[in-house]
Amino acid sequence: LKKGTHPAFKDLHKKYPIESHKLFARLERILSCLAYWSPIFAEVDYFPEFVFPFIKMFGSDEMACFEVLSTIITHWCQHWFEFYPNTPVNILQSIDDLLKYHDYQLWRHFKSNDISFNYYAWPLLKNLFTEVLTREEWLRFFDTLITYNTEPELIMHFTVSYLIYFKPTLINAKTTLDIQNFTYKQNPINIEKVLKQAKELKRATGDDLITVPFNNNLPIPTGQYPIFDHYPKFIVDFQNKVRERIMAEEQEMNNRQKNLIDLRNRISQLEYQERQYRMQQDAILNAEKERKDQAAVEEELRMKDRLHLDEMTRERRVKQLEQVENTIQTSLKTQMEMREAEFQRMNEELERKKKVEEYELQRRKEEETLLNLEFKASERLNELMLLRSREEAARNLRLEIETKEKEQ
């Protein structure tokens, strides 16, 4: 809370307007706390809808609200953000497999009408059924989740049970728009029957249908909150950098706008002073007209002096404008020269690297040639040594033969 509003939510009032200022302030604070806890929650666009029902439920107890939300996220929603910015396809695919296993007809109806789990399951899950259940029904639903907290996958069975409960209605839905209308409005429901059916589906489901490995993350550790990093960090980091760049650009635009407003205020002030000055001059002229001949000569002299002063003022303004223009042109020229020098430096560096690479290549070629020559010379020397050795052996043999012949 001490860190204040997270930068990602500075324009929250535009995207998520709320009439109650107190509710909005709580929503902004809780969202900021969650975003500081884990950066992913600064990027998820539907997160205000996810959090808002808990804001209303816990009222002014913001600490309890935050801890409950962090518990829900780390336990029941632990795999929701692994494929961000896409929907949690691992969870939704498991729900799709469960629906196919427990009600093939309804599943086949969705498939034949090209209605994916992003339309019939994700809208229910992403706000934890707060859109389709009344307060009492939702509390009963969540009470069951807490009771069976060692089985966080029960929320997927509840989703399938909810769809099967409304099978007669969903069978008549032929388009994604029909499904959207269904998943964003409350329908009369026997919540106890749906919960009972969800538990029965859980017992009747084989372990191989749910491929998402859920961990039991309850209770949360005391002393400090657990680290939540089940999301693609590189995407969130990239979006953080993009948001920071946009904020910097907006700040620059605001500064320019402020400077423009200051300039307009100064111009308005100058115009006001000019009008006041003209009014004063008109009054002086009227007074001078009343005196007529008595002050005619003095007025003419004053008018000449004033015209001269105005001319000098205009000349000074023109000179100032020329100086400003010259300064701008000089600055632009300097920037261009610096860019050209940088470009020339880069070209020279590239040329130098190219020459070094060419030299290295030529040196390697020459080295290879010398190695070949050395190898051939070595082979030739070995051949000569072998030939000399053979000649020496032949000479020794002849001497031996001659010696024997002499002895005979």
Side-chain angles (χ1 to χ4, degrees), residues 9-26:
F9 302 113
K10 69 182 185 66
D11 294 328
L12 181 64
H13 61 283
K14 298 178 182 178
K15 301 176 183 178
Y16 203 78
I18 300 176
E19 292 182 359
S20 173
H21 295 294
K22 291 183 179 180
L23 276 178
F24 178 81
R26 292 171 189 163

Side-chain angles (χ1 to χ4, degrees), residues 18 44 104 132 196 227 261 270 285 311 343 393-394:
I18 300 176
V44 179
Y104 181 83
V132 296
K196 180 180 179 182
I227 297 175
I261 292 173
L270 289 174
L285 289 174
E311 182 65 26
F343 183 72

Side-chain angles (χ1 to χ4, degrees), residues 77 79 100 160 171 188-189 222 248 271 314 332-333 357 372:
C77 308
H79 297 292
K100 180 180 179 182
V160 175
I171 286 294
I189 184 175
T222 57
E271 290 177 347
R314 283 192 293 271
L332 290 174
K333 183 179 179 181
E357 290 175 355
N372 288 334

Side-chain angles (χ1 to χ4, degrees), residues 142-394:
F142 220 81
D143 182 68
T144 302
L145 291 184
I146 294 174
T147 302
Y148 294 87
N149 62 78
T150 57
E151 302 173 357
E153 66 274 11
L154 182 62
I155 193 172
M156 296 192 294
H157 294 90
F158 178 83
T159 305
V160 175
S161 178
Y162 183 90
L163 294 170
I164 294 174
Y165 181 86
F166 287 102
K167 179 179 178 179
T169 302
L170 293 173
I171 286 294
N172 294 321
K174 305 295 184 182
T175 65
T176 56
L177 181 60
D178 294 336
I179 296 297
Q180 287 176 348
N181 292 332
F182 170 79
T183 55
Y184 284 98
K185 72 174 183 179
Q186 293 182 358
N187 297 286
I189 184 175
N190 185 339
I191 190 63
E192 295 298 331
K193 183 177 179 181
V194 176
L195 289 170
K196 180 180 179 182
Q197 182 176 240
K199 288 180 277 188
E200 291 174 354
L201 295 177
K202 174 69 174 64
R203 287 192 293 269
T205 301
D207 295 335
D208 57 337
L209 277 180
I210 298 179
T211 58
V212 182
F214 280 88
N215 297 321
N216 188 357
N217 296 323
L218 294 181
I220 61 174
T222 57
Q224 61 181 5
Y225 297 112
I227 297 175
F228 185 80
D229 55 1
H230 299 293
Y231 58 87
K233 189 174 183 300
F234 69 97
I235 293 179
V236 175
D237 292 344
F238 174 77
Q239 292 188 346
N240 280 334
K241 291 180 181 179
V242 171
R243 184 175 61 252
E244 291 173 358
R245 178 176 57 79
I246 292 174
M247 291 177 62
E249 292 175 354
E250 290 179 350
Q251 183 63 38
E252 185 178 356
M253 290 292 294
N254 292 334
N255 292 337
R256 291 181 180 178
Q257 186 69 20
K258 182 180 179 181
N259 293 335
L260 181 60
I261 292 173
D262 292 341
L263 181 60
R264 287 176 178 173
N265 291 336
R266 292 179 184 178
I267 292 174
S268 298
Q269 186 177 4
L270 289 174
E271 290 177 347
Y272 173 77
Q273 292 176 354
E274 182 68 19
R275 287 195 298 271
Q276 292 295 108
Y277 175 76
R278 289 179 180 177
M279 290 173 65
Q280 292 174 3
Q281 295 304 314
D282 290 341
I284 292 173
L285 289 174
N286 290 333
E288 291 300 324
K289 288 180 180 179
E290 292 177 358
R291 291 197 299 268
K292 295 181 181 178
D293 296 339
Q294 294 180 0
V297 175
E298 296 177 358
E299 179 65 19
E300 184 177 358
L301 292 174
R302 284 196 296 271
M303 285 297 295
K304 289 181 179 180
D305 292 340
R306 191 163 56 252
L307 290 172
H308 179 66
L309 178 62
D310 289 344
E311 182 65 26
M312 291 179 62
T313 300
R314 283 192 293 271
E315 289 179 357
R316 284 198 300 270
R317 288 181 177 177
V318 170
K319 288 181 179 179
Q320 288 176 354
L321 290 173
E322 290 177 351
Q323 290 176 356
V324 170
E325 181 67 22
N326 291 335
T327 301
I328 293 173
Q329 292 295 333
T330 302
S331 177
L332 290 174
K333 183 179 179 181
T334 303
Q335 291 180 5
M336 290 298 294
E337 290 176 351
M338 290 175 65
R339 289 180 181 177
E340 290 177 358
E342 181 66 16
F343 183 72
Q344 181 65 27
R345 187 190 65 77
M346 290 176 64
N347 285 338
E348 291 176 354
E349 181 67 17
L350 290 174
E351 187 65 27
R352 184 187 66 78
K353 289 182 179 180
K354 182 179 179 182
K355 289 180 178 179
V356 170
E357 290 175 355
E358 290 176 352
Y359 169 75
E360 287 294 329
L361 181 61
Q362 183 63 30
R363 187 180 65 78
R364 289 176 182 176
K365 289 181 179 180
E366 292 176 356
E367 184 70 20
E368 185 68 24
T369 302
L370 289 174
L371 288 173
N372 288 334
L373 290 175
E374 289 176 354
F375 178 73
K376 291 179 179 179
S378 177
E379 286 185 338
R380 182 59 180 166
L381 179 59
N382 290 334
E383 290 176 357
L384 291 174
M385 293 296 292
L386 180 61
L387 182 59
R388 182 176 296 174
S389 206
R390 289 176 179 174
E391 290 178 352
E392 184 69 24

Side-chain angles (χ1 to χ4, degrees), residues 120-138:
Y120 71 77
W122 180 232
L124 299 172
L125 271 181
K126 72 177 182 180
N127 52 39
L128 293 177
F129 294 86
T130 55
E131 291 283 345
V132 296
L133 298 178
T134 64
R135 176 184 175 86
E136 291 73 23
E137 292 167 349
W138 188 87

